[in-house]
Amino acid sequence: MKLIIHGGFFSESQTNQEVKQAKQNALKEIVEAGYKYLETHTALETVVRTVGLLEDCELFNAGTGSQIQSDGKIRLSASLMDGKTQRFSGVINIEDVKNPICIAEKLLAYEDRVLSGKGAQDFARENGFKYYSPEIPQRRKEYEKKLSDSIRLGTVGCVALDVYGNIAAATSTGGKGFEIPGRVSDSATTAGNYANAFAGISCTGVGEDIVSGSIATKIVTRVSDGFSLHAASDKTLDELKPYNGFAGIIGIAANGDIYHDDTHPYMVWALCDGETEVFE
């Protein structure tokens, strides 16, 4: 069993020690809770549960605490992929819900498995997901002061390998902040979240760069074709260099390899395979 999570990028990690410590503590607590859950649940169930915990933590830009867009509203995106069944589901730019990853989970059983905007919100309400405002006072203050780009590179994600050898990946984001309403991030696409029987990948960074590089899909495909997870990840991230692409990845391969990397510092992450490691 293995589990790895990320909490997006945190470029202030070298200067704001208080926030850095808070994120280290939160990621450690969440990855250990997720790993304990994985002991008695599938990879698919575990990534939903773990990303839900990340969405509920105000330190990260997903679910509660998400960034506010240019029109003053919060729109959330999340996706889920089961490596065993190869089914992908997601919601794009959904408003007024607490855990978009749970709505993506609900959609997994439907024929129409990726919904956006009002359609996604209507589906959520019809399936018992109540109104919830993910805005916190800190985000409103940041919105009013127009956050610098360096602070807005946030997403959360989880990849799990269960006792049966199955892999699943889940990713959730509150967007980059101040974007044009309707902008689609990578998090609810296979470029940012992908898994099959060979590997699973969750991405964070600049969504447009991740989509341009088709990062998650490309890494998993390369692992399927015989690359090691490390080699597949390095080759794929190297291909972002011509346009200075900004991305980070976490991943697990079916052979148990676990890996994380980024093109720019500083992605925050934690993993657990019986022992816990957290970014420093």
Side-chain angles (χ1 to χ4, degrees):
M1 296 191 311
K2 294 182 186 282
L3 187 75
I4 187 168
I5 63 177
H6 69 73
F9 279 88
F10 177 48
S11 60
E12 299 82 2
S13 60
Q14 301 303 322
T15 57
N16 192 327
Q17 292 301 312
E18 183 180 350
V19 176
K20 177 181 178 181
Q21 185 65 59
K23 290 200 171 188
Q24 288 173 325
N25 293 342
L27 289 170
K28 182 177 187 295
E29 181 179 338
I30 290 170
V31 80
E32 289 178 348
Y35 187 80
K36 184 173 180 61
Y37 191 81
L38 182 60
E39 291 176 348
T40 54
H41 294 81
T42 67
L44 184 68
E45 293 168 330
T46 300
V47 296
V48 173
R49 171 78 168 213
T50 307
V51 166
L53 294 174
L54 288 161
E55 289 176 337
D56 291 342
C57 181
E58 294 183 3
L59 290 168
F60 305 110
N61 176 26
T64 302
S66 289
Q67 296 286 352
I68 300 172
Q69 297 189 357
S70 61
D71 61 351
K73 295 182 178 180
I74 293 174
R75 297 177 178 87
L76 310 174
S77 297
S79 70
L80 175 66
M81 187 156 187
D82 184 357
K84 181 180 179 180
T85 63
Q86 287 285 272
R87 291 174 76 86
F88 179 96
S89 62
V91 290
I92 299 171
N93 289 330
I94 188 170
E95 297 179 40
D96 299 326
V97 297
K98 184 178 183 183
N99 294 109
I101 194 64
C102 294
I103 302 163
E105 179 187 30
K106 191 76 174 179
L107 279 165
L108 206 59
Y110 286 75
E111 182 177 347
D112 300 332
R113 294 193 295 274
V114 181
L115 298 181
S116 65
K118 187 176 184 301
Q121 187 176 32
D122 290 345
F123 175 86
R125 298 289 181 261
E126 290 165 5
N127 283 274
F129 294 92
K130 298 179 180 179
Y131 172 88
Y132 178 84
S133 172
E135 182 179 313
I136 59 174
Q138 175 66 22
R139 291 304 190 207
R140 179 56 58 178
K141 291 178 183 176
E142 293 169 350
Y143 173 74
E144 291 169 353
K145 292 180 180 178
K146 294 189 179 289
L147 276 174
S148 65
D149 288 342
S150 64
I151 302 175
R152 292 188 260 124
L153 299 169
T155 304
V156 300
C158 178
V159 183
L161 173 67
D162 63 27
V163 292
Y164 308 104
N166 298 320
I167 298 169
T171 307
S172 181
T173 187
K176 65 180 182 178
F178 308 109
E179 63 265 54
I180 298 171
R183 178 253 184 189
V184 175
S185 77
D186 66 286
S187 297
T189 75
T190 57
N193 189 77
Y194 194 73
N196 67 8
F198 296 91
I201 295 289
S202 172
C203 299
T204 184
V206 175
E208 286 75 8
D209 293 349
I210 293 168
V211 170
S212 294
S214 193
I215 293 176
T217 305
K218 197 177 287 184
I219 292 173
V220 171
T221 299
R222 284 172 166 157
V223 174
S224 303
D225 289 343
F227 280 68
S228 69
L229 178 61
H230 189 147
S233 300
D234 287 355
K235 181 174 178 59
T236 302
L237 292 181
D238 280 346
E239 291 170 352
L240 302 184
K241 288 180 179 178
Y243 53 94
N244 196 32
F246 198 128
I249 63 99
I250 57 171
I252 300 177
N255 66 0
D257 286 349
I258 191 165
Y259 190 59
H260 58 87
D261 198 10
D262 48 52
T263 60
H264 297 66
Y266 197 82
M267 182 179 70
V268 299
W269 57 270
L271 65 85
C272 190
D273 57 3
E275 299 292 331
T276 303
E277 292 182 42
V278 182
F279 80 98
E280 296 181 351

